[in-house]
Amino acid sequence: MKNKSAKKGLNKIIDAHCHLFYQPSLSKCKKILLKSMKKYNISYGIFSLDATEVVLDDRDSSKAINTNWKKAFNIAINFKKHHKNLFALLWMKPKTTCKEDIPKIDQYIKKHLKYIKGLKFHPFLSQTKMSDEIIKPYIQIARKYKLPILVHTAQDEYSDISFLEKVAKKNKDVNFIAAHLNLLSDNQKAIEILERNSNIYGDTAWVDIKIIKQLKEKKLLHKIMFGSDNPVDGFDTLNNKMYQEYYKNSINLSSKEYNNLMFDNAKRIYKLNV
C-alpha cells in the first residue's frame, strides 16, 4: 500500500521505535529496516539492537543473549555512524551485566554521547521490573547525560506500566517513554499514567489510532509519538492496517497535531537535530 501521508500535509516522519535483531540475520535485518523505511517514506528512525537476556520462542535470541553489553553497544553505534537518518538507543542488560561494569558503561556513553539518543529497557526480556534496585544505576547514568529512557511496557508480570510509574515518580528529572502504552491491554491504565506523570511519554507501537483520539480529548497529544516496532513484523510491518490508519490520518487530526504526532514530538523529546 502506498504511503498517503503526503496528501495529509505531512512532510517528514520519525519512526521512534525501530529494531535491529538477529533474524534472519543481523545483516539482513539491517537491509530490511533500511529498505522498509524508504518504501514507507520514513525520514528518520530511532532504533535499538535487541540484547535480550532470556530465550524467546518466536525468534532466535541466542546471539543476542550471548552478546555482552559492550559488543551490543558497538554494533548499534557503528550502524548509526553509517546512516545519518538513524539514531541509536543503547539496550541495557541489567540482569546479566555485573555491577562492576556500570562505571564502564558510564564511560562508554560519555565517550560516544554524540551518537546516543537514549537508553532502552525491555523488562520482559530481562525478567526484571523497572522498579528493581538493579535499575537504579542506569537511571543515574541517564540523568547524568540527560538521556530519555525507552521502556517496553506490557500487561505482564515484569513490564506493566505501573512499575514504570513508580520509578518515574522517584526520578522526575528523567524522561521515560512507555513503548506500546502497555501492550496486551486496552491502554486505559497507560492513558491515566501519562495524564498524571509529566515525565512519562508514549509511542504508538501496536497502539490502535483510536487511543490517539482519546489522548487528544485529554489534551495529551504532546506526550505521544509515532513508533512501529519496524521490522519486528517483517519487511511490511508498516503496511499493517493499524499503521496505515496513522498514514491516512484516519482520525482527522489538524495539520499541526498530525505533524506533532508523526515528527515533532519525537524530535523534541529525543532532542534530535533534524
Side-chain angles (χ1 to χ4, degrees):
M1 184 178 293
K2 188 176 180 180
N3 179 347
K4 299 180 180 180
S5 61
K7 296 182 179 180
K8 299 295 182 178
L10 184 67
N11 295 318
K12 295 181 179 180
I13 299 173
I14 295 173
D15 188 337
H17 190 150
C18 301
H19 284 272
L20 288 183
F21 46 90
Y22 295 88
Q23 191 182 35
S25 68
L26 183 58
S27 61
K28 289 182 179 178
C29 184
K30 289 177 180 178
K31 292 177 182 178
I32 291 170
L33 174 60
L34 295 170
K35 288 182 179 180
S36 62
M37 286 177 63
K38 184 176 181 180
K39 178 178 179 179
Y40 291 99
N41 296 330
I42 301 295
S43 303
Y44 303 96
I46 302 173
F47 77 95
S48 57
L49 171 72
D50 284 21
T52 178
E53 299 185 272
V54 298
V55 174
L56 287 175
D57 293 329
D58 59 343
R59 68 176 185 245
D60 181 14
S61 301
S62 60
K63 289 184 179 179
I65 290 172
N66 294 325
T67 300
N68 65 28
W69 65 265
K70 188 172 184 179
K71 184 176 180 180
F73 290 1
N74 284 337
I75 292 171
I77 295 297
N78 288 334
F79 188 54
K80 187 276 168 292
K81 286 180 178 179
H82 285 89
H83 302 284
K84 293 182 179 180
N85 65 331
L86 291 175
F87 300 97
L89 305 182
L90 299 185
W91 185 310
M92 301 294 125
K93 305 184 74 162
K95 193 178 185 70
T96 55
T97 298
C98 64
K99 185 177 181 180
E100 291 72 23
D101 274 352
I102 299 298
K104 296 177 184 178
I105 291 174
D106 183 307
Q107 289 304 303
Y108 184 99
I109 290 174
K110 180 180 180 180
K111 181 178 179 181
H112 299 88
L113 191 58
K114 67 179 179 179
Y115 302 115
I116 301 165
K117 290 302 175 181
L119 308 185
K120 166 71 181 287
F121 288 88
H122 199 302
F124 185 75
L125 298 184
S126 290
Q127 300 286 280
T128 304
K129 299 173 183 177
M130 283 300 293
S131 54
D132 193 294
E133 287 292 313
I134 67 173
I135 303 295
K136 284 185 177 180
Y138 299 93
I139 296 175
Q140 291 172 1
I141 291 173
R143 174 183 292 109
K144 181 177 180 179
Y145 297 109
K146 299 180 180 180
L147 295 171
I149 299 176
L150 177 64
V151 182
H152 169 90
T153 62
Q155 194 167 261
D156 65 59
E157 61 182 310
Y158 295 103
S159 312
D160 193 271
I161 196 170
S162 59
F163 302 128
L164 175 59
E165 182 179 32
K166 290 180 182 179
V167 171
K169 285 183 177 296
K170 295 178 181 178
N171 299 275
K172 293 186 177 181
D173 57 336
V174 177
N175 286 333
F176 298 87
I177 299 93
H180 313 295
L181 294 182
N182 224 31
L183 191 66
L184 307 176
S185 75
D186 62 6
N187 307 113
Q188 297 308 302
K189 182 193 290 187
I191 292 174
E192 294 172 5
I193 286 176
L194 260 62
E195 191 169 21
R196 62 178 178 249
N197 294 276
S198 62
N199 60 331
I200 299 182
Y201 300 85
D203 72 36
T204 68
W206 308 116
V207 175
D208 194 292
I209 200 168
K210 68 183 180 182
I211 300 301
I212 308 307
K213 189 173 183 180
Q214 293 181 38
L215 291 171
K216 177 182 177 178
E217 292 168 355
K218 292 181 175 290
K219 303 186 185 305
L220 293 172
L221 277 182
H222 64 290
K223 304 198 74 177
I224 189 73
M225 66 194 88
F226 179 72
S228 70
D229 242 3
N230 188 35
V232 165
D233 206 31
F235 177 76
D236 278 326
T237 294
L238 288 160
N239 196 35
N240 187 290
K241 181 180 178 181
M242 179 179 291
Y243 295 129
Q244 287 301 310
E245 292 299 311
Y246 284 91
Y247 276 119
K248 295 174 186 176
N249 188 13
S250 65
I251 57 173
N252 295 314
L253 297 174
S254 70
S255 178
K256 182 178 180 180
E257 291 169 338
Y258 191 47
N259 276 281
N260 284 343
L261 171 66
M262 304 297 285
F263 187 85
D264 286 335
N265 289 346
K267 176 183 176 180
R268 168 175 49 86
I269 294 164
Y270 280 105
K271 301 175 184 176
L272 307 181
N273 184 24
V274 295

